Short mmCIF file of all heavy atoms in Angstrom, two decimals:
data_model
loop_
_atom_site.label_atom_id
_atom_site.label_comp_id
_atom_site.label_asym_id
_atom_site.label_seq_id
_atom_site.Cartn_x
_atom_site.Cartn_y
_atom_site.Cartn_z
N MET A 4 18.03 -1.09 -26.54
CA MET A 4 17.21 -0.52 -25.48
C MET A 4 17.07 -1.53 -24.35
O MET A 4 16.76 -2.69 -24.57
CB MET A 4 15.84 -0.13 -26.03
CG MET A 4 14.95 0.49 -25.03
SD MET A 4 13.42 1.00 -25.89
CE MET A 4 12.54 1.63 -24.54
N LYS A 5 17.28 -1.08 -23.15
CA LYS A 5 17.19 -1.93 -21.97
C LYS A 5 15.73 -2.24 -21.65
O LYS A 5 14.88 -1.35 -21.65
CB LYS A 5 17.84 -1.23 -20.79
CG LYS A 5 17.77 -2.00 -19.50
CD LYS A 5 18.39 -1.20 -18.37
CE LYS A 5 18.02 -1.84 -17.05
NZ LYS A 5 18.39 -1.03 -15.91
N ALA A 6 15.43 -3.51 -21.38
CA ALA A 6 14.09 -3.92 -20.97
C ALA A 6 14.04 -3.95 -19.45
O ALA A 6 14.81 -4.66 -18.81
CB ALA A 6 13.75 -5.28 -21.55
N ASN A 7 13.17 -3.16 -18.86
CA ASN A 7 13.05 -3.10 -17.40
C ASN A 7 12.30 -4.32 -16.88
O ASN A 7 11.46 -4.89 -17.57
CB ASN A 7 12.32 -1.84 -16.98
CG ASN A 7 13.10 -0.59 -17.32
OD1 ASN A 7 14.31 -0.62 -17.42
ND2 ASN A 7 12.40 0.50 -17.50
N VAL A 8 12.60 -4.69 -15.64
CA VAL A 8 11.91 -5.78 -14.95
C VAL A 8 11.31 -5.21 -13.68
O VAL A 8 11.96 -4.43 -12.97
CB VAL A 8 12.89 -6.94 -14.63
CG1 VAL A 8 12.21 -8.01 -13.81
CG2 VAL A 8 13.48 -7.52 -15.90
N TYR A 9 10.08 -5.60 -13.40
CA TYR A 9 9.37 -5.09 -12.23
C TYR A 9 8.91 -6.23 -11.33
O TYR A 9 8.70 -7.34 -11.80
CB TYR A 9 8.14 -4.26 -12.66
CG TYR A 9 8.52 -3.06 -13.48
CD1 TYR A 9 8.58 -3.13 -14.86
CD2 TYR A 9 8.84 -1.86 -12.86
CE1 TYR A 9 8.95 -2.03 -15.61
CE2 TYR A 9 9.20 -0.76 -13.61
CZ TYR A 9 9.25 -0.85 -14.98
OH TYR A 9 9.62 0.25 -15.72
N LYS A 10 8.74 -5.94 -10.07
CA LYS A 10 8.23 -6.90 -9.10
C LYS A 10 7.00 -6.30 -8.44
O LYS A 10 6.95 -5.10 -8.19
CB LYS A 10 9.28 -7.22 -8.04
CG LYS A 10 8.80 -8.22 -7.00
CD LYS A 10 9.95 -8.73 -6.16
CE LYS A 10 9.49 -9.71 -5.11
NZ LYS A 10 9.02 -10.97 -5.64
N LEU A 11 6.02 -7.13 -8.15
CA LEU A 11 4.82 -6.72 -7.41
C LEU A 11 4.83 -7.36 -6.03
O LEU A 11 5.15 -8.54 -5.89
CB LEU A 11 3.55 -7.17 -8.13
CG LEU A 11 3.14 -6.41 -9.36
CD1 LEU A 11 1.95 -7.08 -10.02
CD2 LEU A 11 2.79 -4.98 -9.02
N ILE A 12 4.49 -6.57 -5.02
CA ILE A 12 4.29 -7.11 -3.67
C ILE A 12 2.91 -6.67 -3.20
O ILE A 12 2.32 -5.74 -3.75
CB ILE A 12 5.38 -6.63 -2.69
CG1 ILE A 12 5.41 -5.10 -2.58
CG2 ILE A 12 6.75 -7.17 -3.08
CD1 ILE A 12 6.30 -4.58 -1.47
N GLU A 13 2.42 -7.33 -2.18
CA GLU A 13 1.12 -6.97 -1.62
C GLU A 13 1.33 -6.47 -0.20
O GLU A 13 2.04 -7.09 0.58
CB GLU A 13 0.19 -8.18 -1.65
CG GLU A 13 -1.26 -7.82 -1.44
CD GLU A 13 -2.18 -8.97 -1.79
OE1 GLU A 13 -2.56 -9.08 -2.97
OE2 GLU A 13 -2.50 -9.74 -0.88
N LEU A 14 0.70 -5.35 0.11
CA LEU A 14 0.79 -4.72 1.43
C LEU A 14 -0.61 -4.42 1.93
O LEU A 14 -1.52 -4.20 1.13
CB LEU A 14 1.55 -3.39 1.34
CG LEU A 14 2.94 -3.38 0.75
CD1 LEU A 14 3.40 -1.94 0.53
CD2 LEU A 14 3.90 -4.12 1.64
N THR A 15 -0.77 -4.36 3.23
CA THR A 15 -2.02 -3.90 3.82
C THR A 15 -1.70 -2.78 4.80
O THR A 15 -0.97 -2.99 5.77
CB THR A 15 -2.77 -5.03 4.54
OG1 THR A 15 -3.07 -6.06 3.59
CG2 THR A 15 -4.06 -4.53 5.15
N GLY A 16 -2.22 -1.60 4.51
CA GLY A 16 -2.05 -0.45 5.39
C GLY A 16 -3.30 -0.27 6.23
O GLY A 16 -4.40 -0.64 5.81
N THR A 17 -3.14 0.30 7.42
CA THR A 17 -4.28 0.50 8.31
C THR A 17 -4.32 1.94 8.80
O THR A 17 -3.30 2.64 8.82
CB THR A 17 -4.21 -0.44 9.53
OG1 THR A 17 -3.05 -0.12 10.30
CG2 THR A 17 -4.16 -1.90 9.11
N SER A 18 -5.52 2.37 9.18
CA SER A 18 -5.69 3.72 9.71
C SER A 18 -7.03 3.82 10.43
O SER A 18 -8.01 3.20 10.02
CB SER A 18 -5.67 4.74 8.57
OG SER A 18 -6.00 6.03 9.06
N THR A 19 -7.07 4.63 11.45
CA THR A 19 -8.33 4.95 12.12
C THR A 19 -8.94 6.21 11.52
O THR A 19 -10.06 6.59 11.87
CB THR A 19 -8.12 5.16 13.63
OG1 THR A 19 -7.14 6.18 13.82
CG2 THR A 19 -7.66 3.89 14.31
N THR A 20 -8.23 6.84 10.58
CA THR A 20 -8.67 8.11 10.01
C THR A 20 -9.37 7.98 8.66
O THR A 20 -10.48 8.47 8.50
CB THR A 20 -7.45 9.05 9.84
OG1 THR A 20 -6.77 9.15 11.09
CG2 THR A 20 -7.88 10.43 9.39
N SER A 21 -8.69 7.34 7.68
CA SER A 21 -9.24 7.31 6.32
C SER A 21 -8.58 6.22 5.47
O SER A 21 -7.52 5.70 5.82
CB SER A 21 -9.04 8.66 5.63
OG SER A 21 -7.67 8.87 5.37
N ILE A 22 -9.22 5.94 4.34
CA ILE A 22 -8.65 5.01 3.36
C ILE A 22 -7.32 5.57 2.85
O ILE A 22 -6.33 4.85 2.74
CB ILE A 22 -9.63 4.80 2.20
CG1 ILE A 22 -10.88 4.08 2.69
CG2 ILE A 22 -8.98 4.04 1.05
CD1 ILE A 22 -12.03 4.07 1.69
N GLU A 23 -7.30 6.85 2.51
CA GLU A 23 -6.09 7.48 1.98
C GLU A 23 -4.94 7.40 2.97
O GLU A 23 -3.79 7.17 2.59
CB GLU A 23 -6.36 8.95 1.60
CG GLU A 23 -7.27 9.12 0.42
CD GLU A 23 -8.76 9.06 0.79
OE1 GLU A 23 -9.10 8.90 1.99
OE2 GLU A 23 -9.58 9.17 -0.13
N ASP A 24 -5.23 7.58 4.24
CA ASP A 24 -4.21 7.49 5.28
C ASP A 24 -3.66 6.07 5.38
O ASP A 24 -2.46 5.87 5.57
CB ASP A 24 -4.80 7.95 6.61
CG ASP A 24 -3.74 8.31 7.63
OD1 ASP A 24 -2.73 8.93 7.24
OD2 ASP A 24 -3.93 7.98 8.81
N ALA A 25 -4.52 5.07 5.24
CA ALA A 25 -4.07 3.67 5.27
C ALA A 25 -3.14 3.38 4.10
O ALA A 25 -2.10 2.72 4.26
CB ALA A 25 -5.28 2.74 5.24
N VAL A 26 -3.47 3.89 2.91
CA VAL A 26 -2.62 3.72 1.73
C VAL A 26 -1.27 4.40 1.97
O VAL A 26 -0.21 3.83 1.72
CB VAL A 26 -3.30 4.29 0.47
CG1 VAL A 26 -2.31 4.36 -0.70
CG2 VAL A 26 -4.52 3.47 0.10
N ASP A 27 -1.31 5.62 2.47
CA ASP A 27 -0.10 6.39 2.72
C ASP A 27 0.80 5.68 3.73
O ASP A 27 2.03 5.62 3.54
CB ASP A 27 -0.47 7.79 3.21
CG ASP A 27 0.69 8.75 3.16
OD1 ASP A 27 1.36 8.81 2.11
OD2 ASP A 27 0.93 9.46 4.15
N HIS A 28 0.23 5.14 4.80
CA HIS A 28 1.03 4.41 5.80
C HIS A 28 1.74 3.22 5.17
O HIS A 28 2.93 2.99 5.44
CB HIS A 28 0.15 3.92 6.95
CG HIS A 28 -0.21 4.97 7.93
ND1 HIS A 28 -1.41 4.96 8.60
CD2 HIS A 28 0.45 6.07 8.37
CE1 HIS A 28 -1.46 6.00 9.40
NE2 HIS A 28 -0.35 6.70 9.26
N ALA A 29 1.04 2.44 4.34
CA ALA A 29 1.65 1.28 3.70
C ALA A 29 2.80 1.68 2.80
O ALA A 29 3.88 1.07 2.83
CB ALA A 29 0.59 0.50 2.92
N ILE A 30 2.60 2.71 1.99
CA ILE A 30 3.63 3.13 1.05
C ILE A 30 4.83 3.74 1.78
O ILE A 30 5.98 3.43 1.44
CB ILE A 30 3.05 4.11 0.01
CG1 ILE A 30 2.09 3.35 -0.91
CG2 ILE A 30 4.15 4.79 -0.79
CD1 ILE A 30 1.28 4.22 -1.84
N LYS A 31 4.59 4.56 2.77
CA LYS A 31 5.71 5.15 3.53
C LYS A 31 6.55 4.08 4.22
O LYS A 31 7.77 4.16 4.24
CB LYS A 31 5.18 6.15 4.56
CG LYS A 31 4.81 7.48 3.95
CD LYS A 31 4.34 8.45 5.00
CE LYS A 31 4.00 9.79 4.37
NZ LYS A 31 3.46 10.75 5.34
N ARG A 32 5.87 3.07 4.77
CA ARG A 32 6.62 2.00 5.46
C ARG A 32 7.43 1.18 4.46
O ARG A 32 8.59 0.86 4.70
CB ARG A 32 5.65 1.10 6.23
CG ARG A 32 6.30 -0.08 6.91
CD ARG A 32 7.39 0.37 7.89
NE ARG A 32 8.09 -0.75 8.42
CZ ARG A 32 9.19 -1.29 7.87
NH1 ARG A 32 9.69 -0.80 6.75
NH2 ARG A 32 9.78 -2.32 8.43
N ALA A 33 6.84 0.84 3.31
CA ALA A 33 7.55 0.06 2.29
C ALA A 33 8.75 0.84 1.75
O ALA A 33 9.80 0.26 1.46
CB ALA A 33 6.61 -0.32 1.16
N HIS A 34 8.61 2.16 1.62
CA HIS A 34 9.68 3.01 1.09
C HIS A 34 10.93 2.97 1.97
O HIS A 34 12.04 3.23 1.49
CB HIS A 34 9.20 4.45 0.93
CG HIS A 34 10.26 5.37 0.43
ND1 HIS A 34 10.76 5.32 -0.85
CD2 HIS A 34 10.93 6.37 1.05
CE1 HIS A 34 11.69 6.24 -0.99
NE2 HIS A 34 11.81 6.90 0.14
N LYS A 35 10.80 2.62 3.23
CA LYS A 35 11.97 2.54 4.11
C LYS A 35 12.95 1.47 3.65
O LYS A 35 14.15 1.58 3.91
CB LYS A 35 11.54 2.26 5.55
CG LYS A 35 10.86 3.42 6.22
CD LYS A 35 10.49 3.09 7.64
CE LYS A 35 9.82 4.27 8.32
NZ LYS A 35 9.49 3.98 9.72
N THR A 36 12.46 0.41 2.99
CA THR A 36 13.34 -0.67 2.55
C THR A 36 13.37 -0.87 1.04
O THR A 36 14.26 -1.52 0.53
CB THR A 36 12.95 -2.00 3.22
OG1 THR A 36 11.58 -2.28 2.94
CG2 THR A 36 13.16 -1.94 4.72
N ILE A 37 12.38 -0.31 0.33
CA ILE A 37 12.32 -0.45 -1.13
C ILE A 37 12.30 0.95 -1.72
O ILE A 37 11.30 1.66 -1.62
CB ILE A 37 11.06 -1.23 -1.57
CG1 ILE A 37 11.01 -2.59 -0.88
CG2 ILE A 37 11.03 -1.38 -3.08
CD1 ILE A 37 9.67 -3.28 -1.03
N LYS A 38 13.39 1.36 -2.33
CA LYS A 38 13.53 2.74 -2.79
C LYS A 38 12.94 3.03 -4.16
O LYS A 38 12.72 4.15 -4.52
CB LYS A 38 15.00 3.15 -2.77
CG LYS A 38 15.62 3.08 -1.38
CD LYS A 38 14.89 3.96 -0.39
CE LYS A 38 15.51 3.87 0.98
NZ LYS A 38 14.66 4.35 2.04
N SER A 39 12.70 2.00 -4.96
CA SER A 39 12.27 2.25 -6.33
C SER A 39 10.79 1.94 -6.56
O SER A 39 10.40 1.40 -7.58
CB SER A 39 13.14 1.43 -7.30
OG SER A 39 13.12 0.06 -6.95
N LEU A 40 9.94 2.31 -5.59
CA LEU A 40 8.51 2.11 -5.75
C LEU A 40 8.00 2.94 -6.93
O LEU A 40 8.37 4.11 -7.07
CB LEU A 40 7.77 2.51 -4.48
CG LEU A 40 8.11 1.74 -3.20
CD1 LEU A 40 7.40 2.36 -2.01
CD2 LEU A 40 7.74 0.28 -3.35
N CYS A 41 7.15 2.33 -7.76
CA CYS A 41 6.69 3.02 -8.98
C CYS A 41 5.19 3.29 -8.98
O CYS A 41 4.77 4.34 -9.44
CB CYS A 41 7.02 2.19 -10.21
SG CYS A 41 8.76 1.92 -10.50
N TRP A 42 4.39 2.34 -8.54
CA TRP A 42 2.94 2.51 -8.62
C TRP A 42 2.26 1.62 -7.58
O TRP A 42 2.88 0.76 -6.97
CB TRP A 42 2.42 2.16 -10.02
CG TRP A 42 2.44 0.70 -10.33
CD1 TRP A 42 1.44 -0.21 -10.09
CD2 TRP A 42 3.49 -0.05 -10.91
NE1 TRP A 42 1.82 -1.46 -10.49
CE2 TRP A 42 3.08 -1.39 -11.01
CE3 TRP A 42 4.76 0.28 -11.38
CZ2 TRP A 42 3.89 -2.39 -11.54
CZ3 TRP A 42 5.56 -0.73 -11.90
CH2 TRP A 42 5.12 -2.03 -11.98
N PHE A 43 0.97 1.87 -7.38
CA PHE A 43 0.18 1.01 -6.51
C PHE A 43 -1.21 0.83 -7.10
O PHE A 43 -1.68 1.65 -7.89
CB PHE A 43 0.10 1.54 -5.07
CG PHE A 43 -0.79 2.74 -4.91
CD1 PHE A 43 -2.12 2.59 -4.55
CD2 PHE A 43 -0.30 4.02 -5.11
CE1 PHE A 43 -2.94 3.69 -4.38
CE2 PHE A 43 -1.11 5.13 -4.94
CZ PHE A 43 -2.44 4.97 -4.58
N GLN A 44 -1.85 -0.24 -6.69
CA GLN A 44 -3.22 -0.55 -7.10
C GLN A 44 -3.97 -1.01 -5.86
O GLN A 44 -3.51 -1.91 -5.16
CB GLN A 44 -3.21 -1.66 -8.14
CG GLN A 44 -4.56 -2.19 -8.52
CD GLN A 44 -4.45 -3.41 -9.44
OE1 GLN A 44 -3.38 -3.77 -9.90
NE2 GLN A 44 -5.56 -4.04 -9.68
N VAL A 45 -5.10 -0.38 -5.57
CA VAL A 45 -5.92 -0.82 -4.44
C VAL A 45 -6.64 -2.10 -4.84
O VAL A 45 -7.35 -2.14 -5.84
CB VAL A 45 -6.93 0.28 -4.01
CG1 VAL A 45 -7.86 -0.24 -2.93
CG2 VAL A 45 -6.19 1.52 -3.53
N VAL A 46 -6.43 -3.15 -4.06
CA VAL A 46 -7.02 -4.46 -4.33
C VAL A 46 -8.27 -4.68 -3.50
O VAL A 46 -9.26 -5.23 -3.99
CB VAL A 46 -5.99 -5.58 -4.04
CG1 VAL A 46 -6.59 -6.95 -4.24
CG2 VAL A 46 -4.74 -5.40 -4.90
N GLU A 47 -8.23 -4.25 -2.25
CA GLU A 47 -9.35 -4.50 -1.34
C GLU A 47 -9.40 -3.42 -0.27
O GLU A 47 -8.36 -2.96 0.20
CB GLU A 47 -9.17 -5.87 -0.68
CG GLU A 47 -10.30 -6.28 0.22
CD GLU A 47 -10.12 -7.69 0.79
OE1 GLU A 47 -8.96 -8.16 0.89
OE2 GLU A 47 -11.12 -8.31 1.14
N THR A 48 -10.59 -3.02 0.07
CA THR A 48 -10.80 -2.07 1.16
C THR A 48 -11.77 -2.70 2.14
O THR A 48 -12.82 -3.21 1.74
CB THR A 48 -11.38 -0.75 0.64
OG1 THR A 48 -10.52 -0.23 -0.36
CG2 THR A 48 -11.51 0.27 1.76
N ARG A 49 -11.42 -2.67 3.41
CA ARG A 49 -12.31 -3.22 4.43
C ARG A 49 -12.06 -2.46 5.74
O ARG A 49 -11.16 -1.66 5.84
CB ARG A 49 -12.08 -4.71 4.61
CG ARG A 49 -10.69 -5.07 5.04
CD ARG A 49 -10.46 -6.59 5.03
NE ARG A 49 -9.08 -6.87 5.29
CZ ARG A 49 -8.10 -6.86 4.39
NH1 ARG A 49 -8.38 -6.58 3.13
NH2 ARG A 49 -6.86 -7.11 4.73
N GLY A 50 -12.87 -2.74 6.71
CA GLY A 50 -12.71 -2.09 8.00
C GLY A 50 -13.60 -2.72 9.04
O GLY A 50 -14.32 -3.67 8.75
N ASN A 51 -13.54 -2.19 10.23
CA ASN A 51 -14.44 -2.70 11.26
C ASN A 51 -15.32 -1.57 11.77
O ASN A 51 -15.01 -0.40 11.64
CB ASN A 51 -13.69 -3.43 12.37
CG ASN A 51 -12.94 -2.51 13.31
OD1 ASN A 51 -12.62 -1.39 12.97
ND2 ASN A 51 -12.66 -3.00 14.49
N ILE A 52 -16.44 -1.98 12.34
CA ILE A 52 -17.45 -1.04 12.81
C ILE A 52 -17.56 -1.18 14.32
O ILE A 52 -17.58 -2.29 14.84
CB ILE A 52 -18.81 -1.36 12.15
CG1 ILE A 52 -18.68 -1.26 10.63
CG2 ILE A 52 -19.90 -0.44 12.69
CD1 ILE A 52 -19.86 -1.86 9.89
N GLU A 53 -17.62 -0.06 14.99
CA GLU A 53 -17.81 -0.05 16.43
C GLU A 53 -18.86 1.01 16.77
O GLU A 53 -18.73 2.17 16.34
CB GLU A 53 -16.48 0.27 17.12
CG GLU A 53 -16.50 0.01 18.60
CD GLU A 53 -15.11 0.12 19.19
OE1 GLU A 53 -14.26 -0.74 18.89
OE2 GLU A 53 -14.87 1.11 19.93
N LYS A 54 -19.88 0.61 17.46
CA LYS A 54 -20.97 1.51 17.86
C LYS A 54 -21.58 2.24 16.66
O LYS A 54 -21.85 3.44 16.70
CB LYS A 54 -20.48 2.50 18.91
CG LYS A 54 -20.04 1.84 20.20
CD LYS A 54 -19.57 2.85 21.22
CE LYS A 54 -19.08 2.13 22.46
NZ LYS A 54 -18.53 3.05 23.44
N GLY A 55 -21.75 1.49 15.56
CA GLY A 55 -22.40 2.05 14.39
C GLY A 55 -21.56 2.98 13.54
O GLY A 55 -22.08 3.63 12.64
N ARG A 56 -20.25 3.05 13.80
CA ARG A 56 -19.36 3.93 13.03
C ARG A 56 -18.12 3.17 12.58
O ARG A 56 -17.71 2.21 13.21
CB ARG A 56 -18.91 5.10 13.90
CG ARG A 56 -20.08 5.96 14.37
CD ARG A 56 -19.60 7.17 15.02
NE ARG A 56 -18.86 7.95 14.01
CZ ARG A 56 -18.82 9.26 13.97
NH1 ARG A 56 -19.44 9.95 14.87
NH2 ARG A 56 -18.14 9.89 13.04
N VAL A 57 -17.53 3.64 11.49
CA VAL A 57 -16.27 3.06 11.04
C VAL A 57 -15.21 3.34 12.09
O VAL A 57 -15.00 4.49 12.47
CB VAL A 57 -15.83 3.64 9.68
CG1 VAL A 57 -14.45 3.12 9.29
CG2 VAL A 57 -16.85 3.32 8.60
N ASN A 58 -14.57 2.28 12.56
CA ASN A 58 -13.57 2.41 13.62
C ASN A 58 -12.15 2.29 13.07
O ASN A 58 -11.24 2.92 13.58
CB ASN A 58 -13.81 1.34 14.69
CG ASN A 58 -12.86 1.45 15.85
OD1 ASN A 58 -12.73 2.51 16.43
ND2 ASN A 58 -12.20 0.37 16.16
N HIS A 59 -11.97 1.49 12.03
CA HIS A 59 -10.62 1.20 11.55
C HIS A 59 -10.69 0.78 10.09
O HIS A 59 -11.51 -0.06 9.72
CB HIS A 59 -10.02 0.06 12.38
CG HIS A 59 -8.55 0.00 12.33
ND1 HIS A 59 -7.75 0.60 13.26
CD2 HIS A 59 -7.71 -0.60 11.45
CE1 HIS A 59 -6.48 0.38 12.96
NE2 HIS A 59 -6.44 -0.35 11.86
N TRP A 60 -9.82 1.37 9.25
CA TRP A 60 -9.73 1.02 7.83
C TRP A 60 -8.55 0.08 7.61
O TRP A 60 -7.50 0.24 8.23
CB TRP A 60 -9.48 2.27 6.99
CG TRP A 60 -10.63 3.21 6.97
CD1 TRP A 60 -10.77 4.35 7.74
CD2 TRP A 60 -11.79 3.14 6.16
NE1 TRP A 60 -11.95 4.97 7.44
CE2 TRP A 60 -12.60 4.24 6.47
CE3 TRP A 60 -12.23 2.23 5.20
CZ2 TRP A 60 -13.82 4.47 5.86
CZ3 TRP A 60 -13.44 2.45 4.59
CH2 TRP A 60 -14.22 3.56 4.92
N GLN A 61 -8.72 -0.89 6.69
CA GLN A 61 -7.64 -1.74 6.22
C GLN A 61 -7.70 -1.73 4.69
O GLN A 61 -8.74 -2.03 4.11
CB GLN A 61 -7.79 -3.18 6.71
CG GLN A 61 -7.68 -3.33 8.20
CD GLN A 61 -7.89 -4.77 8.63
OE1 GLN A 61 -8.52 -5.56 7.92
NE2 GLN A 61 -7.36 -5.12 9.78
N VAL A 62 -6.59 -1.36 4.05
CA VAL A 62 -6.56 -1.28 2.59
C VAL A 62 -5.40 -2.13 2.09
O VAL A 62 -4.25 -1.93 2.48
CB VAL A 62 -6.38 0.18 2.11
CG1 VAL A 62 -6.37 0.25 0.60
CG2 VAL A 62 -7.48 1.07 2.68
N THR A 63 -5.73 -3.11 1.24
CA THR A 63 -4.71 -3.97 0.65
C THR A 63 -4.33 -3.42 -0.72
O THR A 63 -5.20 -3.08 -1.52
CB THR A 63 -5.21 -5.42 0.54
OG1 THR A 63 -5.54 -5.88 1.85
CG2 THR A 63 -4.16 -6.32 -0.06
N LEU A 64 -3.02 -3.32 -0.95
CA LEU A 64 -2.48 -2.75 -2.18
C LEU A 64 -1.54 -3.73 -2.85
O LEU A 64 -0.87 -4.51 -2.18
CB LEU A 64 -1.60 -1.51 -1.87
CG LEU A 64 -2.07 -0.49 -0.89
CD1 LEU A 64 -0.92 0.43 -0.54
CD2 LEU A 64 -3.19 0.28 -1.49
N LYS A 65 -1.47 -3.65 -4.17
CA LYS A 65 -0.36 -4.24 -4.91
C LYS A 65 0.55 -3.07 -5.22
O LYS A 65 0.09 -2.03 -5.72
CB LYS A 65 -0.85 -4.90 -6.20
CG LYS A 65 -1.54 -6.21 -5.95
CD LYS A 65 -1.85 -6.90 -7.26
CE LYS A 65 -2.54 -8.22 -6.98
NZ LYS A 65 -2.86 -8.92 -8.23
N VAL A 66 1.82 -3.21 -4.91
CA VAL A 66 2.80 -2.15 -5.12
C VAL A 66 3.87 -2.68 -6.06
O VAL A 66 4.41 -3.77 -5.86
CB VAL A 66 3.42 -1.70 -3.78
CG1 VAL A 66 4.45 -0.62 -4.00
CG2 VAL A 66 2.35 -1.22 -2.82
N GLY A 67 4.16 -1.90 -7.10
CA GLY A 67 5.17 -2.30 -8.07
C GLY A 67 6.44 -1.49 -7.94
O GLY A 67 6.39 -0.31 -7.60
N PHE A 68 7.57 -2.17 -8.19
CA PHE A 68 8.84 -1.45 -8.19
C PHE A 68 9.79 -2.11 -9.18
O PHE A 68 9.65 -3.29 -9.52
CB PHE A 68 9.46 -1.40 -6.78
CG PHE A 68 9.74 -2.75 -6.16
CD1 PHE A 68 10.99 -3.34 -6.28
CD2 PHE A 68 8.75 -3.40 -5.45
CE1 PHE A 68 11.23 -4.57 -5.69
CE2 PHE A 68 8.99 -4.63 -4.86
CZ PHE A 68 10.23 -5.21 -4.98
N GLU A 69 10.73 -1.32 -9.66
CA GLU A 69 11.70 -1.81 -10.63
C GLU A 69 12.78 -2.62 -9.93
O GLU A 69 13.31 -2.21 -8.89
CB GLU A 69 12.34 -0.64 -11.38
CG GLU A 69 13.25 -1.08 -12.50
CD GLU A 69 13.83 0.07 -13.28
OE1 GLU A 69 13.45 1.23 -13.04
OE2 GLU A 69 14.68 -0.20 -14.14
N VAL A 70 13.11 -3.77 -10.50
CA VAL A 70 14.21 -4.59 -9.99
C VAL A 70 15.49 -4.03 -10.59
O VAL A 70 15.65 -3.96 -11.81
CB VAL A 70 14.02 -6.08 -10.39
CG1 VAL A 70 15.22 -6.91 -9.93
CG2 VAL A 70 12.72 -6.62 -9.82
N LYS A 71 16.39 -3.58 -9.72
CA LYS A 71 17.65 -2.96 -10.16
C LYS A 71 18.74 -4.01 -10.27
O LYS A 71 18.70 -5.05 -9.63
CB LYS A 71 18.08 -1.89 -9.15
CG LYS A 71 17.08 -0.78 -8.95
CD LYS A 71 17.05 0.15 -10.12
CE LYS A 71 16.12 1.32 -9.81
NZ LYS A 71 16.14 2.31 -10.86
N ASP A 72 19.78 -3.69 -11.08
CA ASP A 72 20.94 -4.58 -11.22
C ASP A 72 21.76 -4.60 -9.97
O ASP A 72 21.84 -3.68 -9.23
CB ASP A 72 21.81 -4.13 -12.40
CG ASP A 72 21.10 -4.35 -13.72
OD1 ASP A 72 20.27 -5.25 -13.81
OD2 ASP A 72 21.41 -3.58 -14.66
#
């Protein structure tokens, strides 16, 4: 049985709309160069406030993918 090998990278996605949108932006951008993305884990969520409202989300993810031969 073949033993798979995986690599983890860290990405930060941003959005003015939502946390989910920030995650989606990061994954879609990474998919352009890494085709075998398998999973993600949210590591940190932060943002900035302007005039008493959330203005911008930043979400840091660990993204795992299989290392191919």
